[in-house]
Amino acid sequence: MLDLSQRLANYQTDNLTSRAIASGKLVRVVGLTLEATGCKAPIGSLCMVETLSGEMEAEVVGFEGDRLLLMPSESIAGVVPGARVTPVVRDAGLPVGMELLGRVIDGVGNPLDGLGELYTQQRASLDATPINPLQRKPISEPLDVGIKAINGLLTVGKGQRIGLFAGSGVGKSVTLGMMTRGTTAQVVVVGLIGERGREVKEFIEEILGVEGRKRAVVVAAPADASALMRLKGCQTALTIAEYFRDQGLDVLLLMDSLTRFAQAQREIALSVGEPPATKGYPPSVFAKLPALVERAGNGDDTQGSITAFFTVLTEGDDLQDPIADASRAILDGHIVLSREMADAGHYPAIDVERSVSRVMPQITTDDHLTMSKAVRQVLATCRKNQDLVSIGAYKPGTDPAIDTAFTLKPTIDQYLQQGMKDSIPYDMCVNMLSSMLQTAMNNSANQNQQGHNR
């Protein structure tokens, strides 16, 4: 007896070949939405649209009555009324394989690096089957990312999905680049979605570097790409990461950014008539976000892991932005980059107080967790009393906890800062944290003793 997938394949071969292959014609263009009649094709399938400069790809994103609603993957220049629209019977899929390492591709797998065509033996669908949550391995060991502030105070586990919340110009791309160079993951997949085209080459040549590129795959769909291409760019990055995970490898996925994915889906949804909801985002955006994020994580016992960092752009540094708020609820923690710290020259500008790794208690020792809590308490005490100290309203010696906190803070700030090209191993980060706290506590005790003697 044939299984469901085989029956579906037979249906597509028998029915789509005989019915949907018939060409239709273009009857309307509204914004970036194309309307065609005279042909049938399922949602998500591709159609070729005739233009003055050749054929153009478009995807079926909806239908209304007997009209198909199409979204082009490139510029619609050259489209004419009554143009022929021909459905493509089946999608060849995305090329996947070890041949992708060191390559730069666009949102649908076409090479952008000038190194020739991609020849792989396997292909994968962009729409992966969801993993049964009971079959996933638990997150049980840390992943080294080479950054002291994260390794020491916001430890990330293999298979964790974490958000990097930042406004514009606070060192988001630099922080991602530090991770690519310092991580112990065997493969790095980078998705540059909706960002400036200039940043793509800079990230590859200056931040990623020659050595980092050898074990990395870069998927680029810059801001001038169509909404459909930006949407597919995110799905392509996840599909490639899933392939390497299925080979038993540990993958670090850096997606920049989840906000651009949401904005691309908003453009498409509004174009086909979906009503806007929260701040202009239609309901489908909040349905697609978890579907994308849940593809990352651990596989079963025979597979590897995908540790994912999804950057989230906070408009006006507002962490209550709808996408930021929805992302926090579906991620396993978040790291916040502070504009104030960046303006003060503190890099990476990680605000430890406002950041959290939800799996850290399960993957670190009790001593490590205690040290992390101690640093957080010091930073919180300093923040609460900073105004009193600045205006001179606080007299030293009034509260030993406050005195100790302000004595420790310069040492902690020094620990949290790191050069862009520096990479610190995980064990060294923990040892440096322990040594830093011990030294700072001894200095604080000596200062208190001197003050008491006076």
Side-chain angles (χ1 to χ4, degrees), residues 99 116-121:
E99 297 85 354
E117 292 295 323
L118 277 170
Y119 297 101
T120 62
Q121 295 183 350

Side-chain angles (χ1 to χ4, degrees), residues 374-394:
V375 171
R376 286 177 173 273
Q377 290 170 355
V378 168
L379 295 176
T381 300
C382 292
R383 176 182 54 81
K384 293 177 182 177
N385 297 279
Q386 183 62 53
D387 292 340
L388 292 177
V389 174
S390 299
I391 64 176
Y394 174 76

Side-chain angles (χ1 to χ4, degrees), residues 2 16 35 69 90 93 109 147 151 162 186-187 214 217 220 258 293 297 331 344 354 379 408 418 420:
L2 297 177
L16 293 184
E35 296 185 11
L69 304 180
R90 58 178 60 193
I147 299 177
N151 283 345
I162 194 162
Q186 295 150 308
V187 176
K214 291 179 180 178
V217 183
L258 200 61
V293 170
L331 293 169
R354 302 166 71 190
L379 295 176
L408 293 176
Q418 184 173 330
M420 184 181 77

Side-chain angles (χ1 to χ4, degrees), residues 137-158:
K137 293 181 297 186
I139 301 174
S140 58
E141 56 182 310
L143 177 72
D144 187 358
V145 295
I147 299 177
K148 288 187 293 183
I150 298 179
N151 283 345
L153 303 174
L154 300 164
T155 308
V156 175
K158 291 182 180 180

